Amino acid sequence: MRGKSTLAKAPAKAKNPAPATQPKSDSEDFALRSLQQELEQQKRFDASDEQMLHFYEQMLLIRRFEERAGQLYGLGLIGGFCHLYIGQEAVAIGLQSALDNDRDSVITGYRDHGHMLAYGIDPKVIMAELTGRQAGISKGKGGSMHMFSTEHKFYGGHGIVGAQVALGGGLALAHQYNEDGGLCLAYFGDGAANQGQVYETMNMASLWNLPIVFVVENNQYAMGTAVKRSSAETEFYRRGTAFRIPGMHVNGMDVLEVRQAAEIAFKHVREGNGPVLMECNTYRYRGHSMSDPAKYRTREEVQDYRDHKDPIEAIKKLLIEKGKSEDDLKAIDKDIRNVVSEAADFAENSPEPDPAELYTDVLVEEY
């Protein structure tokens, strides 16, 4: 009858309710802080001189490559969007240097050149892709944002913010299903951290105990909005708590700390303990993309990071302390600049895709 409540009366509370079971979050085997505590005991990876030199070379390759990509964009040789990784090099190198390239997979968003270089993919085919050439790793059809290599287990390069995380969950499920011992490293940014599909994936990954490491590359500004203005919880490593996923808070400007965190997180996942959420606090020196004037921050702030927190300068200082001379490191820089120049020349002299390529790689099979 209209106007009369149809809600059933709530049952009276039992006088002596049965004791609730102990919440899982209080059980001994559930310690969200355990991985962070392990990192705090030893913050930096005990790298050999050879490993440190390799980290330096790899980060410098990304830096010089991205600087050249920025120049080619300015000359009109790279079209569309172009998101540079300058400043964030320690994250990709620290994490991916700890991967098993025969088993593990990587997926990321559209700021992807650095991750491909960190995976050891030829700079020539990456630069050719940036310039839209047939010799590019995606045959010149993906450009800056959509690079892909099944051979290297690198699954993009995605333009939809946060979508790569759900796909990463699928890659982790495939690792589990195939029992290949691999894990998926799924990168996303602080801007993508508020996407619903990220949390749907975290829930399923925890529920199914998937071998995946979620990595938030927190470069502080997403596209152009400071974290504190867009996120109620600015400590992103805490975001997995609701899904029983342990979090790690890492200095993403220190390649040795990132590598140490990777050692801890990957071991945890490989031992069958389920996913890990890692937040790497880092900083991009350039705008969100090449078309971004970056007026939302001061020049002084950017310069402070360059002068006092630069990941390449930090490892360079360590190498000098261990006996490497300035001349040795300058020679390495010169060699890397030559590699990048060769990649740029290769790209500029490579042909564009044949028009018929418009119709290939559209569907998985013919219909």
Side-chain angles (χ1 to χ4, degrees):
M1 184 183 297
R2 184 174 295 175
K4 192 170 183 178
S5 173
T6 58
L7 294 174
K9 186 179 290 185
K13 291 183 179 179
K15 292 182 179 180
N16 297 302
T21 58
Q22 184 186 30
K24 289 184 178 180
S25 58
D26 291 340
S27 63
E28 293 181 3
D29 64 344
F30 180 66
L32 279 175
R33 298 181 183 85
S34 60
L35 300 184
Q36 186 67 40
Q37 288 168 352
E38 188 174 345
L39 178 63
E40 293 299 328
Q41 290 172 6
Q42 182 177 334
K43 291 292 288 283
R44 309 181 86 197
F45 180 65
D46 185 15
S48 66
D49 292 356
E50 184 180 355
Q51 285 174 314
M52 277 200 287
L53 187 62
H54 183 64
F55 295 159
Y56 173 73
E57 290 170 344
Q58 291 297 99
M59 287 195 292
L60 197 58
L61 174 61
I62 294 174
R63 178 73 57 92
R64 299 298 180 234
F65 183 96
E66 295 290 66
E67 289 171 348
R68 190 58 176 267
Q71 292 171 0
L72 294 182
Y73 186 94
L75 294 170
L77 293 171
I78 296 176
F81 289 101
C82 184
H83 305 81
L84 302 181
Y85 203 63
I86 297 174
Q88 300 183 208
E89 298 90 351
V91 178
I93 297 302
L95 289 170
Q96 289 172 231
S97 63
L99 288 175
D100 182 335
N101 291 352
D102 293 327
R103 299 186 295 170
D104 300 331
S105 58
V106 173
I107 193 165
T108 187
Y110 40 74
R111 197 182 305 279
D112 56 359
H113 323 152
H115 302 95
M116 297 200 82
L117 290 166
Y119 229 173
I121 298 174
D122 188 350
K124 290 181 179 178
V125 299
I126 302 174
M127 194 69 85
E129 188 59 41
L130 284 171
T131 53
R133 308 302 171 123
Q134 173 70 36
I137 200 160
S138 297
K139 300 179 183 177
K141 298 186 292 184
S144 171
M145 298 169 65
H146 303 287
M147 298 195 189
F148 195 92
S149 174
T150 52
E151 177 188 354
H152 291 87
K153 296 182 176 60
F154 182 87
Y155 294 93
H158 285 274
I160 305 301
V161 176
Q164 74 273 18
V165 179
L167 294 170
L171 289 168
L173 180 60
H175 285 304
Q176 184 187 73
Y177 183 83
N178 292 324
E179 298 181 348
D180 60 16
L183 62 82
C184 177
L185 184 60
Y187 293 96
F188 59 105
D190 49 288
N194 295 319
Q195 288 283 321
Q197 58 198 322
V198 171
Y199 299 99
E200 292 179 37
T201 305
M202 285 184 182
N203 182 58
M204 286 188 286
S206 184
L207 193 64
W208 297 342
N209 214 43
L210 298 184
I212 184 169
V213 177
F214 299 102
V215 178
V216 185
E217 292 191 272
N218 180 4
N219 63 22
Q220 316 303 320
Y221 286 100
M223 284 186 69
T225 304
V227 165
K228 62 184 179 182
R229 295 184 60 204
S230 60
S231 296
E233 173 55 89
T234 59
E235 303 293 338
F236 294 106
Y237 70 99
R238 298 174 179 171
R239 296 278 186 101
T241 305
F243 309 107
R244 296 169 51 81
I245 298 175
M248 300 182 75
H249 183 262
V250 183
N251 177 8
M253 303 299 277
D254 182 347
V255 68
L256 297 181
E257 183 169 330
V258 177
R259 174 59 187 266
Q260 182 66 9
E263 294 284 332
I264 295 168
F266 295 176
K267 180 176 182 288
H268 178 89
V269 172
R270 292 195 200 284
E271 290 178 348
N273 298 308
V276 172
L277 172 61
M278 184 187 299
E279 176 186 358
C280 291
N281 275 281
T282 184
Y283 197 83
R284 54 172 169 78
Y285 296 167
R286 301 290 185 91
H288 171 70
S289 69
M290 286 296 296
S291 59
D292 174 18
K295 293 182 178 179
Y296 42 82
R297 60 186 184 182
T298 64
R299 291 182 180 178
E300 289 75 18
E301 178 183 300
V302 179
Q303 195 60 47
D304 181 60
Y305 269 87
R306 284 185 176 274
D307 292 343
H308 302 111
K309 300 174 184 177
D310 186 80
I312 297 175
E313 288 301 316
I315 199 78
K316 180 180 177 180
K317 183 180 178 182
L318 281 175
L319 286 168
I320 291 173
E321 290 174 359
K322 287 183 171 289
K324 281 289 179 183
S325 69
E326 286 278 4
D327 289 341
D328 290 337
L329 299 179
K330 284 180 181 178
I332 290 171
D333 193 359
K334 182 179 178 181
D335 289 342
I336 287 173
R337 288 177 186 273
N338 288 337
V339 168
V340 171
S341 292
E342 288 175 8
D345 292 342
F346 173 80
E348 290 182 52
N349 294 316
S350 295
E352 294 183 352
D354 188 278
E357 278 291 345
L358 284 170
Y359 306 99
T360 64
D361 304 321
V362 178
L363 301 174
V364 174
E365 57 185 308
E366 294 181 1
Y367 292 89

